[in-house]
Amino acid sequence: MEVQIAVAKVNKYATSESGDTLEIVERPNGGLSVVLADGQTSGRGAKAISQMVVRRVIGLLAEGVRDGAAARAASDALFTERQGKVICTLNIASVDLHSRTIVLTRNNPAPVFICRHDRIDAISDESIPLGTSRNVRPLITELAIEPGLFIAIYTDGLTHAGARRGNPMDVSSVVRSVIEDQDPSPQLLADTLLAHAVRLDENRPADDISVLILKVTPRDGDNVRRMTLRLPLDGIRA
Amino acid sequence: MEVQIAVAKVNKYATSESGDTLEIVERPNGGLSVVLADGQTSGRGAKAISQMVVRRVIGLLAEGVRDGAAARAASDALFTERQGKVICTLNIASVDLHSRTIVLTRNNPAPVFICRHDRIDAISDESIPLGTSRNVRPLITELAIEPGLFIAIYTDGLTHAGARRGNPMDVSSVVRSVIEDQDPSPQLLADTLLAHAVRLDENRPADDISVLILKVTPRDGDNVRRMTLRLPLDGIRA
């Protein structure tokens, strides 16, 4: 099998810094974790918050701390520093080769979509961002790694797209339309969701938007890990 | 313009952990850094060393410390901990949006290839791994971000491929053959270099191998950052 991960990420219109931070860390017992945080408001202040949260979570995961404990620690640190005045959403998606599961940790009102065999489930239980109080609990979902699994995670810029113009985003129906295709790549799903949201915002995203997709495929090829990253250089023209 | 980054990475034959660690961090003043370390020997011990070095370097870069200073700090820490008995190579490739340059930091005897307008230069000045003494200096190369730039960085598993069988790898000629193609993707160059090395090792890599490619393209499309990652699950079969 192979786990494929795709990310598509765009800044709020006319801001040079995204309040969303996404980073990846190798787990010391095998596998990796993707950590996505969205700091309150946008621009430089939000970036500092989401970077602080991601740094802390990644540092703990790298030491072997479990995902839920890392999320709680980041929340406590943020609450202590800002006394509940600044909050930050957090999603962790871990491919844990030790337990052979995918572990999803969520402190984010935005739901997570899980697709298996043409069935799409939204995990939408109430979930509170980090830094809101002393006792913030993450919601944890653990899934066996099996071919055909598709997971969609995103920051609230996606859900809020178009809302101001009275034409809100229906994430579920976009996910369904892509999943029903012939074996879509995770990048196609990430790009389609993002493009749909940007269109609803009339090409001027009202907020930072990040989309993270995981897919498990039955592919049994070489044992090469591969990564590709594309970084558009806004303002540095050819 | 757009910077594209590709990685291909394989473990030494019959080992479940790579002594090579590669991670990416966002730079606080814009841009990102890719950090690649190769710990001495292979397996779990080497992994612990390269992870420690990468963690430390990434933590410092995230705080705004310059690349060279981060490399020196990691070297001093490793030397203090292991008294010169364990060494680790390090490469940092930074896309620095503040200085509008690509900054390459090297503590690795393996050269770095830089290709511009059909010209291929090997940066092969003597460079010493981290942890060897108290005064390890990184070699720094700074390049303007310009379309057509191609950079190839790798761990010594690539250079040593085939050596034991008297059929050593000629990295330069593989780079040349790919670069002369019509606008090759960085993933194609990474995959071709890795596949060539694995073939020379008769499909049983004698060492962990990591290849990191950067490419600057004139592409002026949307402002979406994209990332794709593929993680084969050795031993977890469909």
Side-chain angles (χ1 to χ4, degrees):
Chain A
M1 285 191 289
E2 184 173 84
V3 177
Q4 300 180 350
I5 297 171
V7 176
K9 199 164 173 291
V10 76
N11 293 3
K12 176 178 172 175
Y13 179 70
T15 60
S16 64
E17 278 194 287
S18 170
D20 294 355
T21 297
L22 181 143
E23 287 188 16
I24 296 181
V25 64
E26 281 194 55
R27 296 173 74 82
N29 297 312
L32 53 82
S33 296
V34 190
V35 181
L36 172 61
D38 177 4
Q40 203 171 24
T41 74
S42 60
R44 209 163 173 92
K47 184 73 195 173
I49 294 299
S50 65
Q51 272 187 329
M52 185 274 263
V53 164
V54 168
R55 284 290 84 228
R56 195 169 288 265
V57 170
I58 277 191
L60 292 168
L61 295 179
E63 288 171 11
V65 171
R66 276 174 302 168
D67 301 30
R72 284 168 193 245
S75 183
D76 287 349
L78 182 57
F79 183 78
T80 303
E81 210 177 294
R82 302 300 189 100
Q83 296 297 315
K85 284 176 196 138
V86 176
I87 63 175
C88 183
T89 69
L90 174 71
N91 289 88
I92 311 174
S94 295
V95 182
D96 187 335
L97 297 186
H98 187 68
S99 63
R100 303 187 165 203
T101 55
I102 290 176
V103 182
L104 306 176
T105 302
R106 181 165 71 98
N107 282 104
N108 187 351
V112 166
F113 283 90
I114 297 175
C115 318
R116 273 171 298 200
H117 316 298
D118 301 331
R119 187 178 146 181
I120 302 180
D121 294 309
I123 311 187
S124 53
D125 313 72
E126 195 191 349
S127 172
I128 290 164
L130 307 185
T132 41
S133 75
R134 279 212 181 282
N135 278 302
V136 170
R137 287 177 187 209
L139 294 185
I140 312 258
T141 309
E142 196 165 1
L143 301 160
I145 298 178
E146 56 180 0
L149 182 64
F150 243 110
I151 299 166
I153 296 168
Y154 45 86
T155 57
D156 66 358
L158 190 76
T159 355
H160 295 160
R164 241 181 267 181
R165 293 176 172 86
N167 193 6
M169 175 90 180
D170 179 354
V171 178
S172 169
S173 77
V174 178
V175 170
R176 184 172 305 277
S177 73
V178 175
I179 295 287
E180 281 171 355
D181 267 18
Q182 281 296 312
D183 198 27
S185 73
Q187 192 69 61
L188 178 69
L189 180 52
D191 285 349
T192 307
L193 281 167
L194 185 68
H196 200 91
V198 170
R199 214 158 38 234
L200 290 176
D201 275 337
E202 292 171 2
N203 295 317
R204 300 182 168 195
D207 192 3
D208 309 311
I209 307 176
S210 303
V211 183
L212 162 64
I213 309 292
L214 284 87
K215 181 186 181 185
V216 183
T217 74
R219 181 183 172 279
D220 225 12
D222 53 22
N223 279 319
V224 179
R225 288 188 181 199
R226 292 184 170 84
M227 184 173 62
T228 310
L229 197 143
R230 295 169 63 169
L231 177 70
L233 300 179
D234 213 83
I236 306 186
R237 302 278 159 193
Chain B
M1 286 190 290
E2 182 173 85
V3 177
Q4 300 180 349
I5 296 171
V7 175
K9 199 164 174 290
V10 77
N11 293 3
K12 176 178 173 175
Y13 179 69
T15 60
S16 64
E17 278 195 287
S18 171
D20 295 355
T21 297
L22 181 143
E23 287 187 15
I24 297 182
V25 64
E26 281 194 56
R27 296 173 72 81
N29 297 312
L32 53 83
S33 295
V34 189
V35 181
L36 172 62
D38 176 5
Q40 203 171 21
T41 73
S42 60
R44 210 164 172 91
K47 185 72 194 174
I49 294 297
S50 65
Q51 271 187 329
M52 185 274 262
V53 164
V54 167
R55 282 292 85 227
R56 195 169 288 264
V57 170
I58 277 191
L60 292 167
L61 295 178
E63 287 169 11
V65 172
R66 277 174 303 167
D67 301 30
R72 284 168 193 245
S75 184
D76 287 349
L78 181 58
F79 183 78
T80 303
E81 210 176 293
R82 302 299 188 100
Q83 296 297 314
K85 284 175 196 139
V86 176
I87 63 176
C88 184
T89 69
L90 174 71
N91 289 87
I92 310 174
S94 295
V95 182
D96 187 335
L97 297 186
H98 188 68
S99 62
R100 302 187 168 202
T101 55
I102 290 176
V103 181
L104 306 177
T105 301
R106 181 166 71 98
N107 281 103
N108 187 351
V112 166
F113 284 89
I114 297 176
C115 318
R116 273 171 298 200
H117 316 299
D118 299 331
R119 188 179 146 180
I120 302 180
D121 294 309
I123 311 186
S124 53
D125 313 74
E126 195 192 349
S127 172
I128 289 165
L130 307 186
T132 41
S133 76
R134 277 212 183 284
N135 278 303
V136 169
R137 286 177 188 210
L139 294 184
I140 312 258
T141 308
E142 197 165 359
L143 302 160
I145 298 177
E146 55 179 0
L149 182 63
F150 243 112
I151 299 166
I153 295 169
Y154 45 86
T155 56
D156 65 359
L158 191 76
T159 355
H160 294 160
R164 241 181 264 182
R165 294 177 170 85
N167 193 7
M169 174 91 181
D170 179 354
V171 178
S172 168
S173 77
V174 177
V175 170
R176 184 171 305 278
S177 73
V178 175
I179 295 288
E180 282 171 355
D181 267 17
Q182 280 296 312
D183 198 27
S185 73
Q187 192 70 60
L188 178 69
L189 180 51
D191 284 349
T192 307
L193 281 167
L194 185 68
H196 200 91
V198 170
R199 216 157 39 232
L200 290 176
D201 275 338
E202 294 171 0
N203 295 318
R204 299 181 170 197
D207 192 3
D208 308 311
I209 307 176
S210 303
V211 182
L212 162 64
I213 309 292
L214 284 87
K215 180 186 183 184
V216 183
T217 76
R219 180 183 172 280
D220 227 12
D222 53 21
N223 279 319
V224 179
R225 289 188 180 198
R226 292 184 171 84
M227 184 173 61
T228 311
L229 196 143
R230 294 169 63 169
L231 177 72
L233 301 179
D234 215 313
I236 306 186
R237 304 279 160 191

